[in-house]
Amino acid sequence: GDGGDGGDAKVPKGFSATKIVVRNVAFEATKRDIQKLFNPFGALKSCRLPKKFDGNHRGFAFVELSTKREATSALEALRGTHLYGRKLVIERAAEGDDVETTREKTAAHFENAEAGRSAAEGEPIVKRARKARRQE
């Protein structure tokens, strides 16, 4: 019985082909534990276990594999996996899931760089902002 999925599962619209989010991660788990789970499926482009300010992680991880096929096999093979006695919830990451936070950081970084550059050129930043606003 084939579930109609086939080997080459279609990636739902709005979801990433290679990024996976792992939820319900036990607090004892480390980034290394997550890496070990996914290593058999291919080279990990990234593995992140976002932390709270108190140093504990938030109970989920982002993993990015190199290809859609690797991500799909990992999803299928690891479904129902337990780590430290907790059943992991493994699903495709939504396109914006991780990008949003990254984008904010990048934007902040660019604004600072811009401000620095303008100051160096002796151009008032206010003038530049006003110019941009007029175009909207």
Side-chain angles (χ1 to χ4, degrees):
D2 188 41
D5 251 357
D8 198 25
K10 284 266 181 292
V11 178
K13 194 166 168 47
F15 286 85
S16 169
T18 53
K19 280 190 186 142
I20 291 174
V21 59
V22 183
R23 303 186 198 279
N24 201 30
V25 178
F27 288 103
E28 308 93 299
T30 62
K31 194 159 113 176
R32 185 129 189 83
D33 291 320
I34 305 292
Q35 285 169 332
K36 274 192 206 139
L37 283 178
F38 286 89
N39 272 337
F41 303 97
L44 297 187
K45 276 173 78 177
S46 72
C47 174
R48 293 181 39 241
L49 200 54
K51 291 216 164 58
K52 292 185 292 200
F53 57 88
D54 64 5
N56 289 321
H57 65 76
R58 299 173 182 274
F60 59 86
F62 290 106
V63 178
E64 186 177 359
L65 287 129
S66 305
T67 68
K68 177 174 136 188
R69 177 169 293 158
E70 289 169 356
T72 304
S73 357
L75 272 170
E76 286 168 2
L78 295 173
R79 199 169 280 149
T81 301
H82 285 72
L83 185 61
Y84 294 102
R86 289 178 73 160
K87 185 175 178 213
L88 298 175
V89 179
I90 298 175
E91 50 198 29
R92 288 189 194 281
E95 279 294 7
D97 235 7
D98 196 26
V99 181
E100 212 38 64
T101 50
T102 319
R103 195 185 293 138
E104 281 166 17
K105 277 184 207 138
T106 314
H109 180 76
F110 276 124
E111 275 164 18
N112 294 343
E114 273 298 312
R117 202 174 301 128
S118 305
E121 291 165 6
E123 180 188 347
I125 294 160
V126 185
K127 194 168 89 191
R128 177 171 277 181
R130 215 175 275 140
K131 212 183 293 167
R133 204 169 292 135
R134 200 175 295 135
Q135 288 168 348
E136 276 176 9

